Amino acid sequence: MIGQTISHYKILEKLGEGGMGVVYKAVDTNLDRTVALKFMPHHITPDEAEEARFLQEAKAASALNHPNVCTIYGIDAEKGQRFIEMEYIEGMTLRQKLPIGPLNDSIRYGLQIGDALYEAHQKGIVHRDIKADNIMINTRDQVKVMDFGLAKLKGSLKLTKATSTVGTLAYMAPEQIQGGDVDARSDIFSYGILLYEMITGRLPFRSEHEAALMYSILNDEPDPIQKHREDLPPVLVNLIHRAIEKDPNDRYQSINEMVIELRRLQKQSSRVSRSSLASMPAQGMAQAGVSGTIPAVGMSGGTVPAAPAAKGRGRVPMIAALAVSALVVLAAAWYFLLRPSTGVALNPAMTFRTLNIPVKEIGYPALSPDGGWVAFAGTEDGSLWDVYLMNAGSGAPRRITADSAGFMQDVDLSPDGSQIVYDRSDKEFTRPEIAIVSSLGGFSKKIVNIGIFPKWRPDGERIAYVVVGEFGSASGKFEFRSVKPNGSDDRLEWIDTLGANPFYAWSPDGESICYSRRPSSGGASTTEIFVRHLATGEERQLTSIGKTVNFVSWSRNGQIAFSSNANGNYNLWMIAADGGEPVQVTRGSGPDFAPYLSNDGKRLMHIQEQAIGKVWLGSLRDGAAKQLTFDDVNLYDPEISPDGRTALFGIYTPSPSGGTRELFMLDIESGRKTVLVGGEEAIHYPKWSPDGRWIAYASHSDSVDHDSSGTFIVDAANPGSARRVGAGFPWFWIDSTTVLTQRPYGTRLMTIEGGQDRMYFRDSTWAFPVLDGKYIVYRSVVLNEPGIWIERAPTEGATDPGRRLLVKHVSEPVFNRATSSLFLVSPQGEVKRISLPDGKETTIRGTFPNLPPVSRISVSADGSRFVYLDSKTVRKMVMIDNLQ
């Protein structure tokens, strides 16, 4: 065809040929521009079914207008030959550039590919054939995604030799190989494979023939990417391995999530590069090829020009070199001898790997003292829980317990590895007990009636555990207790009165523990690590971070690992047990929890969590439910408008610097979503005023405690600048101008016009009026009065308030004026209506999927519909090897 003119295109040269067509370089003689023409392969005739694929490419790609997608100009036919006229791209395929040397280049290309795919997914187009051969890099180093020939094809793709050329097997997601439903998550899998290949020049699944490659993708774990490149940031490692999870539900649910992570990584790399260059000494700059003048030390904005030729010029470089050498020696001496010691030395070559845990949910894991075995509690189907044991290096988990429980949370391996202790309870975790089982498996033995967080003392002679007030401790406080492994000699070790968390660890000698609690001068959300000697009761504060610290682990080499939001997100840190500055271990968006150190401190096991929430709309009349949101994001605090037409909810987007929170309004009928307010501050507890005009919410900076929250209001119809009206969390609107707020010590009443707020009802209660103010419903803040109470509003001369317990369990009731009722969720996950003031309880019949027990719901003003949050936490178990 070269030299021929077809329609008004003169064919210049052949560019390439593949299973979906033959591409020629041509000149559009009408517009005098160079184009690419793609013809159907010569062996395909117009009446064959494959023509549909050819035409699909033009339709799919032409629907996209994006700088990283090859532009389609049109489709035409000449003498029975169909062809697509498209943008001519001068450059090379990504395949020709592999492997990409600098990591920043891989990230830069990856971002452009991800942006193009996100644009396609937004338009409902799934590419289905992402691979290095279908990506072009033009002469301006710009990515162009090509070949949408498989986009949005209906039906299964059969893996025959003939079809393998149009759906490259090495990049195919498992569901695509099996002929199942293919969606945007299949592109995410292929995108993850491509990122892996760009960075390493290899594929994560490799085999000599198609059948073996299919088996590998469906069954084998991918080759760890760190094996081929040890310099990769943990965030990037986790991102790629999550993208190529076999189950689509375990992958990123939107490619935009990956793009956001890559963009943050790119920014961090840029900051590091600039910082490194700025801190290079003058000699290093010269060696790096940086020319120009050198800034003068101690001078603001001035520079010292290069020395002119002069007598004795040979001595000047020598003197300068000696001076630089002396400075280097002094700097090294300061670094190694005089700098403050942290007591923690991390290995730059540490590696991260995600363990393959084929269960639906997992609790907090434990690592054997030698670092060779991992124990954890988990549930395979979301119903009953068991204890599992697995080799930390390889292999599948093995179920240990034979008597499943409704819920399990914390486990610990004995020092000799022969037994596992764990806590277990019913599904609502109302009465947790502690049991012990052999590591070889079998039936368990209960050793403690009430307790949580069991931990073996390092000598194996005793097991510590915790009892807290809500689980029935005799003191109503945090009680640290211990017991022998056979359940005898149960003794109280000490009682904490300052609000400890149930997170602690034994010292290597078994004489002390480290644990997290509020310092005497800290706020409600501030916790630090304290070390307590059990025999003497002597305590010392180990950290002074001023944020939240939890989940501690103490290794025999004198290191303590913990989780903290010291830098915004919950990451892992380490500190020497004898003091010093904490050292940050993980730096991703997290959250990272539950660290567990091996005795030698070289292995660190932890949990990486992702909170996912979805909003549902339930009917209080016919019991039906409808899902309103579908993205896998950290969504929280849903609220329905008084007219029942709009749902309000918050979305938290994590980032290494702390993340952002935004309140969104969702039109229930149309599905249109708009941002109401957002920023880096914590935003919670939105509440609609009765007339639907105002939305109140709580906001506070991450740098201060929840105690310092303020209540803000914003106009729902005209979102703009929010206005602060008082302190605390919005709790209940009395009318369109008066709102009750929660404070740690009780409820305050304020008006949105301003002025002094005042205590409402009694101290230590969270209360609101019902039935036109004739009664007050409240929760007691003190621990010995759980449940929801009602009594008559105080009136002059009244002697009997008629105080009565409405509900025993602690939940957040919602008052509905139209029905004169409270609505709440029981421990069994049922919606209850409690009529007032008689307290008659009615169960709302219906099917409300994934409604969490004792959760909060929001009810429309007419009492006909409500919204609730289907929330879950996805946990992954991550092992850090060669930590120190």
Side-chain angles (χ1 to χ4, degrees), residues 97 105 108-109 112 136-143:
K97 295 180 73 73
D105 287 352
R108 181 162 49 82
Y109 291 147
Q112 295 179 63
M136 288 288 294
I137 310 294
N138 67 17
T139 54
R140 299 189 302 276
D141 215 26
Q142 182 184 27
V143 161

Side-chain angles (χ1 to χ4, degrees), residues 681-752:
E681 293 198 341
I683 299 173
H684 294 283
Y685 307 110
K687 302 281 185 180
W688 236 296
S689 63
D691 60 2
R693 179 182 176 186
W694 300 105
I695 295 172
Y697 64 92
S699 178
H700 69 89
S701 169
D702 280 335
S703 61
V704 301
D705 293 324
H706 285 70
D707 292 355
S708 302
S709 288
T711 291
F712 293 75
I713 64 168
V714 63
D715 191 327
N718 300 290
S721 298
R723 177 163 57 91
R724 192 179 194 273
V725 296
F729 295 78
W731 168 239
F732 184 85
W733 284 86
I734 293 179
D735 53 42
S736 58
T737 61
T738 311
V739 65
L740 298 174
T741 63
Q742 282 184 7
R743 302 297 298 276
Y745 47 80
T747 307
R748 306 289 295 185
L749 183 147
M750 67 176 67
T751 64
I752 62 175

Side-chain angles (χ1 to χ4, degrees), residues 761-775:
F761 198 49
R762 291 193 295 265
D763 286 350
S764 302
T765 61
W766 291 338
F768 56 84
V770 297
L771 305 178
D772 298 324
K774 296 176 183 177
Y775 291 84

Side-chain angles (χ1 to χ4, degrees), residues 218-245:
L218 293 173
N219 298 283
D220 295 340
E221 287 302 303
D223 213 12
I225 193 170
Q226 310 97 303
K227 176 180 174 182
H228 307 296
R229 282 196 64 165
E230 297 180 352
D231 62 333
L232 301 181
V235 173
L236 182 59
V237 173
N238 291 336
L239 178 140
I240 292 174
H241 280 281
R242 181 179 171 191
I244 57 177
E245 289 279 4

